[in-house]
Amino acid sequence: MRRILLLSFFMCQFIFLQAQQTQKPPLHAKNWMAITGKPLAATAGAAIFQKGGNAVDAACAMIAATCTMWDVLSWGGETQALIYNPHTGKVIGINALGVAPTGATAAFFKNKGMHYPPEYGPLSAVTPGTPGGICTMLAEYGTMSLKEVLAPAMQMAAGYPIEAQTANSMERGKAQIKQWPYSKAVFLPHAGQVREAPEAGELFKQNDLLETLRKMVEAEQQALKKGKNRKEAIYAANARFYTGDIAKEFVRGCKEQGGLITEDDLARWKVQIEEPVSINYKGIEVYKLQQWTQGPAMLQALNILENFDLKNMGYNSSRYIHTVTQAMQLAFADRDFYYGDPYYAPQEPMKGLLSKEYAKERARLIDPARNLWPALPGDPYTFEGKSNPFSHYLRLWNTDKPLAYAPVDDQYLEQLWRGTTSVEAADSAGWVVSVTPSGGWLPACIAGRTGIGMSQRMQSFVLDSVFNPFNVVEPGKRPRVTLTPTLALKDGKPFLSFAVQGGDTQDQNLLQFFLNVTEFGMTVQEAVEAANVNTYQLYLSLGGEDRKPKPGSILVNSNTPDWIRRELIKMGYKLTFDDRTSGPVNAIYFDRKHGTFWGGSSNHGEDYGVGW
């Protein structure tokens, strides 16, 4: 048995060494780094850096540009960010997630025969968060004006050559787009023709969006003329969006198409500047946003995995894949039951969930010989010295009958991987920004003549406490989202900044990227391209009516050797395959020895980075 394990270990190391030749070159820089999911958006960040902006200015410009390019997000979506402030040495969380509007109750959706809020359309919309997120980040931590930072996005709104991926998404989704008059006018400029969406390379113009952005800049410039300082002027632009004429038109257009958002909903909503959650993994402080995201699940998984010798298992050996998969399944079971909006009761038991003692208890559940099904939520209240007020719901989870194997089809994968992008920025002054903006993806419903696509994030709520007593929809509450940027510090200084797109797979791929660097010594570009494994044994956060786990189903790379496949099947896994399983991770590594940046830009999609 020992000889077999040693052979597996050495073969896995051989496979890793063979895979070290990356498909994209690493990025190197000493002054600044800008990486995101679209080449034009990365160029926007680079332009801001070249004009003297800091990493926050550049990140805001990249968010604005990606929102203007649609596909995986738009201006009516949500922005989640972690910022390292070199002046304080602290990591800051930016919570620019919208909330459920007036009238959005569990009873409302149940009366419509729904098991979850809808995937698309006006009833899927929470209040827009990205405009407020950009304004708050820029006002509090940036150096430039909104006019300067929005300039690239405004130029794009006036007309930019659209790429094939987005143009084809518009064409594929045109049946839904035609339900919404304002979306139809923007996305289908060739109505009545065989192809109604723009062609790749065609100048895509968004006059209504351009006017909305112009109004925000106008409000800022008017405030400056009245003697307001830079910060106050940016918040004047924010106020025009959420309480002024933009808000009125947004609400009118939303309600005309059957949505629930009111002017009061917009006026009441505020960005929250928060303290992130963190754990220490072998001397590295890893930071995630709070439990309104799925981010703490990655921290829980790291706590569990700290109890195992991963390095000696070998990169992507059967033992390694099995152990990491089990840790993810246990962490995601807790996510599915315990995570929700911390600003609403009941209070989530995060102290217990993130404790090392709880992780040891969870680690003991991992059987080295077989997949654990069902992987159930644990009881973290014990580790807070409390009794669990929701044990009756946990008992109902425990009586679930094992689910029969269900095939993993294209629709399921679309729900699993849906949407978003990532933004990474850093500068030589020490500012670091990691962002996972999202929402308002195609096919999007545009609110009136604002040019703003409404978010679809309402679908991440549940309608019954038995599924998650912390995440039941109610007005003013944030849904528990998948969006999850990451920062890691070593010796109190930035070590890694990384994020990824992909729904429920995000913290799975980020976890493995982090382990690739810390346990297996990969460079940042090697780590973003390295083969990962994804488990489907979790409840989906997005999609239609059926979001149940697929027991034992995992994704592995097509190059996985036959003997590892056989070992995994023997452990109870059902395997699916893909040529690229890294997830579209974007990352920055901080080389303290040389005082430089290493950038990693995924080879998985259109991700792109620029450094200087």
Side-chain angles (χ1 to χ4, degrees):
M1 181 66 180
R2 180 177 172 80
R3 291 179 63 188
I4 294 172
L5 292 174
L6 285 171
L7 176 63
S8 178
F9 169 78
F10 286 120
M11 287 301 295
C12 287
Q13 301 309 303
F14 173 75
I15 292 163
F16 165 58
L17 290 170
Q18 293 285 25
Q20 280 187 297
Q21 185 64 42
T22 57
Q23 293 184 11
K24 291 173 70 173
L27 300 166
H28 293 281
K30 70 172 184 177
N31 297 305
W32 51 260
M33 187 78 73
I35 310 175
T36 189
K38 298 283 185 180
L40 279 178
T43 304
I48 294 299
F49 273 129
Q50 292 283 44
K51 291 181 179 179
N54 72 3
V56 179
D57 300 319
C60 290
M62 287 191 278
I63 298 167
T66 55
C67 288
T68 304
M69 298 177 76
W70 295 90
D71 193 33
V72 291
L73 74 164
S74 70
W75 275 92
E78 43 274 352
T79 287
Q80 294 68 222
L82 290 170
I83 300 172
Y84 176 78
N85 184 338
H87 303 305
T88 63
K90 300 292 185 182
V91 179
I92 304 143
I94 301 294
N95 178 344
L97 173 62
V99 299
T102 300
T105 64
F108 173 84
F109 293 109
K110 286 181 178 179
N111 287 339
K112 292 183 174 293
M114 300 177 181
H115 293 96
Y116 295 94
E119 293 180 73
Y120 296 104
L123 288 180
S124 67
V126 295
T127 55
T130 290
I134 289 175
C135 287
T136 299
M137 290 169 63
L138 185 63
E140 299 293 335
Y141 308 107
T143 66
M144 301 179 82
S145 68
L146 188 65
K147 180 180 180 179
E148 292 171 303
V149 166
L150 291 190
M154 293 178 73
Q155 292 175 36
M156 293 172 70
Y160 76 94
I162 193 169
E163 75 280 12
Q165 179 175 303
T166 304
N168 291 338
S169 291
M170 293 174 181
E171 181 67 16
R172 285 194 304 271
K174 65 183 180 181
Q176 282 181 292
I177 287 170
K178 287 178 181 180
Q179 302 174 55
W180 310 311
Y182 304 102
S183 298
K184 179 181 176 181
V186 174
F187 300 137
L188 305 177
H190 309 303
Q193 299 181 22
V194 174
R195 183 184 175 95
E196 299 181 274
E199 296 179 351
E202 179 181 338
L203 287 180
F204 177 51
K205 299 179 180 180
Q206 304 171 72
N207 294 329
D208 288 343
L209 176 60
L210 178 60
E211 179 62 11
T212 292
L213 300 181
R214 187 199 66 77
K215 288 178 179 179
M216 293 180 69
V217 168
E218 180 182 68
E220 176 197 46
Q221 297 302 302
Q222 288 176 347
L224 290 172
K225 289 178 182 178
K226 293 177 181 178
K228 302 293 185 182
N229 62 33
R230 186 191 72 90
K231 182 175 179 178
E232 292 168 334
I234 293 171
Y235 281 126
N238 184 79
R240 186 166 186 181
F241 186 95
Y242 288 97
T243 62
D245 54 343
I246 300 171
K248 291 182 184 298
E249 176 58 16
F250 183 97
V251 169
R252 187 203 65 77
C254 173
K255 287 192 169 183
E256 176 192 335
Q257 298 173 96
L260 299 174
I261 297 172
T262 68
E263 289 184 40
D264 191 53
D265 291 329
L266 293 183
R268 286 176 177 270
W269 179 83
K270 296 290 185 294
V271 175
Q272 300 292 336
I273 300 176
E274 303 175 336
E275 183 176 346
V277 293
S278 67
I279 58 103
N280 185 293
Y281 181 83
K282 299 183 178 180
I284 300 170
E285 293 289 333
V286 186
Y287 290 84
K288 303 291 279 189
L289 292 167
Q290 293 181 21
Q291 61 271 21
W292 52 274
T293 74
Q294 70 174 355
M298 177 182 156
L299 304 185
Q300 286 191 242
L302 283 172
N303 277 343
I304 293 170
L305 292 171
E306 206 169 28
N307 295 282
F308 299 90
D309 189 350
L310 299 178
K311 188 173 183 178
N312 279 333
M313 291 181 185
Y315 166 73
N316 276 4
S317 68
S318 58
R319 288 179 64 207
Y320 177 79
I321 289 173
H322 174 63
T323 305
V324 170
T325 297
Q326 295 302 292
M328 292 193 301
Q329 289 173 179
L330 289 166
F332 274 80
D334 284 337
R335 177 207 73 166
D336 290 340
F337 187 77
Y338 287 112
Y339 289 17
D341 186 350
Y343 298 94
Y344 273 67
Q347 188 62 48
E348 299 82 4
M350 298 311 298
K351 180 181 178 181
L353 288 168
L354 294 177
S355 71
K356 297 291 186 180
E357 294 77 14
Y358 179 65
K360 288 178 181 178
E361 180 181 271
R362 299 294 269 168
R364 283 193 286 269
L365 296 174
I366 296 177
D367 184 335
R370 66 179 183 88
N371 175 54
L372 175 65
W373 174 257
L376 298 171
D379 188 356
Y381 285 94
T382 302
F383 298 88
E384 296 186 355
K386 303 173 183 176
S387 59
N388 194 329
F390 303 108
S391 56
H392 54 299
Y393 292 140
L394 284 178
R395 285 193 292 272
L396 291 175
W397 276 58
N398 209 7
T399 57
D400 278 352
K401 295 179 180 179
L403 300 175
Y405 173 65
V408 177
D409 55 21
D410 289 343
Q411 180 181 351
Y412 175 87
L413 292 175
E414 197 274 332
Q415 292 175 213
L416 181 79
W417 284 87
R418 179 172 296 165
T420 200
T421 192
S422 60
V423 171
E424 303 298 319
D427 62 41
S428 57
W431 289 95
V432 186
V433 188
S434 181
V435 196
T436 316
S438 189
W441 53 72
L442 293 172
C445 179
I446 292 177
R449 295 296 303 273
T450 63
I452 303 290
M454 290 186 275
S455 168
Q456 300 100 342
R457 196 57 61 175
M458 190 96 77
Q459 64 187 293
S460 292
F461 280 115
V462 299
L463 304 184
D464 196 318
S465 293
V466 70
F467 295 111
N468 181 336
F470 304 90
N471 191 37
V472 178
V473 64
E474 60 179 291
K477 190 175 183 179
R478 296 165 185 81
R480 194 276 300 150
V481 296
T482 56
L483 308 161
T484 175
T486 323
L487 285 180
L489 307 185
K490 193 172 185 178
D491 301 322
K493 300 292 184 181
F495 173 64
L496 284 170
S497 174
F498 54 110
V500 67
Q501 60 175 285
D504 292 293
T505 65
Q506 286 182 45
D507 277 304
Q508 300 188 49
N509 289 318
L510 295 177
L511 171 71
Q512 291 166 85
F513 162 83
F514 178 79
L515 295 173
N516 290 342
V517 174
T518 58
E519 295 288 353
F520 299 106
M522 297 188 197
T523 68
V524 70
Q525 186 62 40
E526 290 166 352
V528 301
E529 293 189 20
N532 290 341
V533 57
N534 285 168
T535 178
Y536 305 146
Q537 193 167 302
L538 46 76
Y539 280 90
L540 293 180
S541 304
L542 303 166
E545 296 293 282
D546 184 10
R547 304 190 190 181
K548 292 180 179 178
K550 296 188 179 296
S553 291
I554 60 172
L555 170 70
V556 296
N557 193 271
S558 300
N559 291 327
T560 303
D562 286 342
W563 75 86
I564 292 180
R565 297 185 188 198
R566 290 195 296 270
E567 288 172 354
L568 292 172
I569 291 169
K570 187 177 180 180
M571 291 174 177
Y573 293 106
K574 296 173 176 64
L575 308 182
T576 60
F577 302 93
D578 205 337
D579 293 336
R580 295 186 183 182
T581 56
S582 59
V585 180
N586 288 320
I588 300 172
Y589 166 72
F590 299 87
D591 186 339
R592 294 294 166 199
K593 180 179 178 181
H594 303 103
T596 60
F597 307 123
W598 290 58
S601 178
S602 168
N603 66 334
H604 206 278
E606 297 184 333
D607 302 88
Y608 200 82
V610 183
W612 186 250

